[in-house]
Amino acid sequence: MMKPLSGTTVVEMTTMIAGPAAGAQLADFGAEVIKIEPEKGDIFRSVLGKMGLKNGAAHKSSPLFASINRGKKSAILSREAILSLLGQADVLLVNIRTKSLEKQLGTTLENLRKAYPKLIICVISGYGLDNQTPGYDSSAFWARSGLAQAFTADHPKYGVPEQHRVPPSLPGGVGDIACGMAAVNGILAAIIQREKTGQGSIVSASLLRTGAWLNSNSLTTYLSFGKTFSRSRNHPINPLYNLYKSSDGVWFTLLGFDSSRHWPAIQKLAGISDPKFETAASRSKHSGDLVAVLDSYFQKQSFDELSAKLTSLGVWWETVQTPSKVVQNDPHLFCNSGDQLPVLKTPVDITGANISPSGPSPSLGQHTNAVSSKL
């Protein structure tokens, strides 16, 4: 079965997560991704091991590295060899600051464009192509974009204790991987544009703009109303679109986004007759009271009992799963890359195309000789 980017060559000069994650998707799509590494290798190869989190297998000291570098070639090349390789490439993918890139290659982005007019140069950064401020997903993507605040229960008027009005930390790599997907979108659009114009381009993807895009609901709400809505679980705008817990401690989310549609079934399930909950507007006005009623009902039922009742009444819901439950209940999310370590599948499928890893992550410099021989 074909791969849609077969015949496309990507030179990847990246480190850590965002750039490699983009390269992994391109490799799964069939591109030949050549990862250029320094002599000591991508720092992310051993980042967990350096913190003492080893488990006996060298590649598993950074399992995420193995996942987001699968199917690539690793080469250690001189500046001259890299520039020669760019003459054969379709895409240059980088996530180091442009000043560092220009120092490494001995030339500017504009001069690269002149030297390789068909080359697509994708630069992943923290704050944008013209901003050299160092940025990570916890800073540019999470903090600066407003996402961290959007996930904070920050309404003291609803009785949220001060110690709970703390912005949550971002799970490692979330913003980086999201930005990597944004970069892939830009690269694919640039490839289509080049087919029409014959010219390459510079694609810029930043952690900040990716975070702001994912925070669209809060930001557009503020632009329209001058405020954002409550993030308190105990006083949500819509109590039917909220998190609840069963008697045996299983959290689940109700998906009654269309409150009027789902209310009759939930009302019947919990035996609610209070007229102040009759309309969507009144349920929002008295959301704290309704959450307390639903909490009382749900916390008297086991999860198995609740899931059966909710499903039988056509109420939409989903379990809040732990990583172990995801692995146990959703094995279709994972695949083998030719290594002993399972990896996550790319989040898209294409009919008639084989979207899967073409091999495991490479050892440092594994393909240096093979790549050099073609220059």
Side-chain angles (χ1 to χ4, degrees), residues 259-276:
S259 182
S260 298
R261 173 181 177 179
H262 293 276
W263 172 244
I266 295 175
Q267 181 183 32
K268 177 181 178 180
L269 175 69
I272 300 172
S273 58
D274 193 325
K276 72 181 179 183

Side-chain angles (χ1 to χ4, degrees), residues 28 101 152 156-157 218 235 272 283 317 321-322 329 350:
D28 282 3
L101 176 68
T152 304
K157 69 179 181 179
S218 292
H235 293 82
I272 300 172
R283 288 191 291 276
W317 60 276
Q321 295 199 120
T322 62
N329 296 333
I350 301 175

Side-chain angles (χ1 to χ4, degrees), residues 83-110:
L83 293 174
S84 178
L85 181 61
L86 291 179
Q88 305 173 14
D90 297 285
V91 178
L92 170 62
L93 172 63
V94 301
N95 72 336
I96 54 179
R97 285 180 286 171
T98 52
K99 286 185 178 179
S100 298
L101 176 68
E102 291 170 356
K103 182 178 180 181
Q104 190 170 343
L105 294 181
T107 186
T108 65
L109 287 181
E110 285 304 318

Side-chain angles (χ1 to χ4, degrees), residues 24-71:
Q25 277 199 270
L26 296 172
D28 282 3
F29 290 165
E32 179 188 30
V33 179
I34 302 171
K35 183 179 180 72
I36 307 300
E37 298 193 67
E39 291 185 359
K40 292 183 178 180
D42 183 340
I43 188 175
F44 205 62
R45 283 183 175 273
S46 57
V47 67
L48 296 184
K50 290 178 179 179
M51 291 187 288
L53 302 175
K54 298 182 179 180
N55 62 0
H59 71 283
K60 288 187 178 181
S61 65
S62 185
L64 182 55
F65 178 90
S67 182
I68 60 177
N69 287 284
R70 77 277 192 103

Side-chain angles (χ1 to χ4, degrees), residues 98 109 123 125 127-132 202-204 206:
T98 52
L109 287 181
V123 181
S125 64
Y127 296 93
L129 196 60
D130 298 323
N131 190 330
Q132 296 295 307
I202 295 178
V203 175
S204 173
S206 74

Side-chain angles (χ1 to χ4, degrees), residues 113 117-120 190-191 193-201:
R113 291 198 66 193
K118 292 187 177 182
L119 183 66
I120 295 166
I191 289 174
Q193 176 177 275
R194 186 178 61 186
E195 290 177 353
K196 297 177 180 179
T197 67
Q199 295 296 310
S201 55

